[in-house]
Amino acid sequence: MERIIECVPNFSEGRDLQKLEKILDVFRGRHNVKLLDYSSDEDHNRSVVTIVGEPEALKVAMVEAIGKAVELIDLTKHEGQHPRMGAVDVVPFIPIRNVTVEEADALAKEVAKAASEAYGLPFFLYEKSASAPHRENLANIRKGQFEGMTEKMKDEQWIPDFGPSTIHPTAGVTAIGARMPLVAYNVNLGTNNLEIASKIAKNVRFMNGGFRYVKALGIELEDRGIVQVSMNLTDYTKTSIYRVFETVKMEAERYGVNVVGSEIVGLVPLQALVDTADYYLRLENFNFNQVLETRL
């Protein structure tokens, strides 16, 4: 593949893995499309999938996958800790090689147009593709979630960019657009007090005065009896993993709570991990090109 775009669709299904596999099968065995990674979380009831491909091949595969998700996922029966408004909740396109963000934006709009016409699913454009400033932030679009979206879309400010003017009865509505790479990063706390995680999330996220490139919320992990600060780092070069981790740890200490672990969901740019190693190891004059794999 000479021109590569990455796509990281989030599907609102993390418990019925047979349904997920049927969606993933759409990406398998296709020319110029490769399924790189996927992860599911039962508490979130959500799956994050990473695929790459040539623009036209990726478009065809993604439209088909959206259709399969609309067929299989019923949000009227969906429960989970992660906010959601659609069976296919969000579909970001990220330029990787020999592709511009403008081309990723054009691809997002082509997919939205084709999928809305094929499945009667409404789409909001977000991030670099947003049609208005109040639609750039995914959290603003998703506010109200599936249950409140019908009423929300009666407001002229929230008429979809593609598709019908009301939600799909079982698949809701989807956000789609071009963006730069982000890191989905979660920090787990040694407590079951969701209020503590929510307070820490509020302190680190940008919309409440925290880090410019952090979106965050508190989530309960019922199966483990703990809570989590779940985050998206939308520009890891300006808000690093280690800086966010240290801040969450410091805030947790205010409540006498320890950090018991952290996790990266999906794929992560190598530079983000190198930066973190550099910080904790206190390396002197370290250069990214000293990583063996980058020289092969």
Side-chain angles (χ1 to χ4, degrees):
M1 292 185 284
E2 294 299 320
R3 302 172 65 235
I4 297 179
I5 291 182
E6 177 187 22
C7 186
V8 191
N10 288 212
F11 298 99
S12 296
E13 180 56 72
R15 298 173 183 172
D16 189 334
L17 299 186
Q18 289 186 338
K19 288 184 179 179
L20 178 62
E21 285 296 322
K22 290 179 180 178
I23 296 170
L24 295 176
D25 282 344
V26 171
F27 302 119
R28 294 178 171 125
R30 302 187 83 111
H31 182 60
N32 282 339
V33 172
K34 185 170 181 60
L35 173 64
L36 292 184
D37 183 72
Y38 62 94
S39 59
S40 302
D41 189 287
E42 290 188 8
D43 291 301
H44 290 214
N45 201 4
R46 189 179 185 87
S47 295
V48 178
V49 179
T50 303
I51 52 177
V52 294
E54 289 270 3
E56 187 59 33
L58 187 59
K59 170 188 170 182
V60 173
M62 198 61 237
V63 171
E64 185 177 332
I66 290 171
K68 183 60 69 174
V70 170
E71 173 191 334
L72 296 175
I73 300 174
D74 184 351
L75 283 192
T76 65
K77 302 174 182 177
H78 180 278
E79 293 181 351
Q81 293 294 321
H82 200 291
R84 81 286 182 270
M85 62 181 182
V88 190
D89 198 56
V90 58
V91 183
F93 290 93
I94 303 104
I96 299 296
R97 186 169 71 191
N98 297 328
V99 179
T100 65
V101 69
E102 289 78 16
E103 289 172 307
D105 168 50
L107 180 59
K109 291 171 180 174
E110 290 174 11
V111 170
K113 183 177 186 298
S116 64
E117 293 174 353
Y119 313 119
L121 184 68
F123 286 83
F124 287 112
L125 296 172
Y126 86 118
E127 283 281 350
K128 301 295 185 181
S129 300
S131 56
H134 69 279
R135 299 185 181 209
E136 290 180 15
N137 191 331
L138 179 60
N140 289 341
I141 298 175
R142 195 191 278 140
K143 188 175 182 179
Q145 299 195 58
F146 173 72
E147 291 77 7
M149 200 58 61
T150 297
E151 189 64 29
K152 180 176 180 176
M153 289 168 64
K154 293 178 181 178
D155 187 332
E156 288 188 0
Q157 289 193 62
W158 293 107
I159 295 174
D161 294 289
F162 293 91
S165 59
T166 188
I167 66 168
H168 187 285
T170 58
V173 58
T174 297
I176 192 169
R179 65 162 172 79
M180 298 307 291
L182 64 74
V183 177
Y185 181 60
N186 304 328
V187 178
N188 298 330
L189 307 178
T191 177
N192 61 1
N193 189 331
L194 181 58
E195 184 179 1
I196 291 176
S198 297
K199 285 181 177 179
I200 295 173
K202 183 178 180 180
N203 287 340
V204 299
R205 66 184 173 224
F206 175 64
M207 67 184 298
N208 293 110
F211 292 110
R212 171 65 182 85
Y213 297 99
V214 173
K215 301 176 182 179
L217 69 158
I219 286 179
E220 184 178 7
L221 303 182
E222 293 182 0
D223 63 325
R224 297 179 59 181
I226 60 175
V227 295
Q228 177 184 88
V229 181
S230 179
M231 296 170 285
N232 280 342
L233 313 186
T234 59
D235 189 338
Y236 67 89
T237 67
K238 296 177 181 176
T239 302
S240 60
I241 293 175
Y242 64 81
R243 186 169 292 118
V244 172
F245 175 78
E246 289 294 336
T247 303
V248 170
K249 185 170 71 170
M250 179 182 66
E251 290 291 325
E253 289 173 354
R254 298 174 57 191
Y255 305 100
V257 171
N258 292 322
V259 168
V260 298
S262 68
E263 63 178 352
I264 290 171
V265 180
L267 303 186
V268 59
L270 177 61
Q271 185 65 61
L273 299 181
V274 170
D275 290 345
T276 300
D278 188 7
Y279 173 81
Y280 284 110
L281 297 177
R282 302 182 183 181
L283 299 174
E284 297 181 2
N285 304 315
F286 183 76
N287 187 287
F288 180 76
N289 290 326
Q290 289 179 254
V291 177
L292 173 62
E293 285 78 4
T294 67
R295 302 292 292 274
L296 296 179

